[in-house]
Amino acid sequence: MESTGTNTAPAPGAPPVPVLPVVAADAPDLVTVPARQGLEAVDIIRRAAGQAASPAGGVGPVLHDGSGGTLGFLVPPGTADAWDLPGSACTQTNGRGMRFGDVSPSAGATGWLLPPEAVGPVTDPEVLRAALGEAARLIEAADNCR
C-alpha cells in the first residue's frame, strides 16, 4: 500500500513536513487484514497497552485503503518470512511507497489511520497476531448473536 495521496502537501502557511525515506534494508513489512478485524485489533492492542502490567506495547502505524476494506499494520522487517495467519497477508515493502512524515490524507483516500508521528514504532508481530485472533473470535461471536 502506498501511503501518499492527493493531500500530501502541508496546509498553506504551515512549516514543511520532513519526508524521511525508508532504507530498503530497514523497511517494515506490511500485514493487511479486513478493516473490521483490523479496527478491533487496534482497540485490543490499545486497551492492552493501557494496562500498567501489560508488556504488549502499543500499536504502531496503520494504513487504510481508499475503499475502507482493509487495514495495513507496519511490522518489523522479516515478519513476512514467517507470517501464516489465515485471513491476513504479510508482504515485504522493501521501502516501496513508504514515506514517513507525510501529512495524513483526508478521509476516503489511501493513507494513515494511525500515522507514524502519532504512534510509536512498528507493531510487534506477536502482539498483532494475538489481537487479530481475539478480534476474529469477537467478530464471530457478535455475528452469531444476530
Side-chain angles (χ1 to χ4, degrees):
M1 288 181 101
E2 194 162 323
S3 64
T4 60
T6 57
N7 296 329
T8 57
V17 177
V19 174
L20 307 173
V22 177
V23 179
D26 297 329
D29 290 349
L30 183 71
V31 173
T32 54
V33 298
R36 186 175 176 199
Q37 184 181 13
L39 291 170
E40 286 287 344
V42 167
D43 288 344
I44 290 165
I45 295 169
R46 285 186 155 182
R47 279 194 309 267
Q51 298 172 356
S54 174
V59 67
V62 179
L63 289 162
H64 65 83
D65 67 357
S67 68
T70 60
L71 292 184
F73 292 82
L74 295 184
V75 293
T79 300
D81 296 336
W83 190 264
D84 62 354
L85 187 66
S88 68
C90 187
T91 56
Q92 295 175 336
T93 65
N94 295 323
R96 292 185 309 266
M98 295 303 203
R99 295 178 4 150
F100 295 125
D102 283 356
V103 174
S104 296
S106 62
T110 300
W112 296 111
L113 174 70
L114 297 174
E117 63 273 7
V119 293
V122 295
T123 303
D124 180 288
E126 292 306 313
V127 171
L128 180 58
R129 181 183 302 276
L132 289 172
E134 184 177 341
R137 291 186 295 278
L138 288 170
I139 291 168
E140 182 178 5
D143 288 350
N144 288 335
C145 289
R146 292 182 184 172

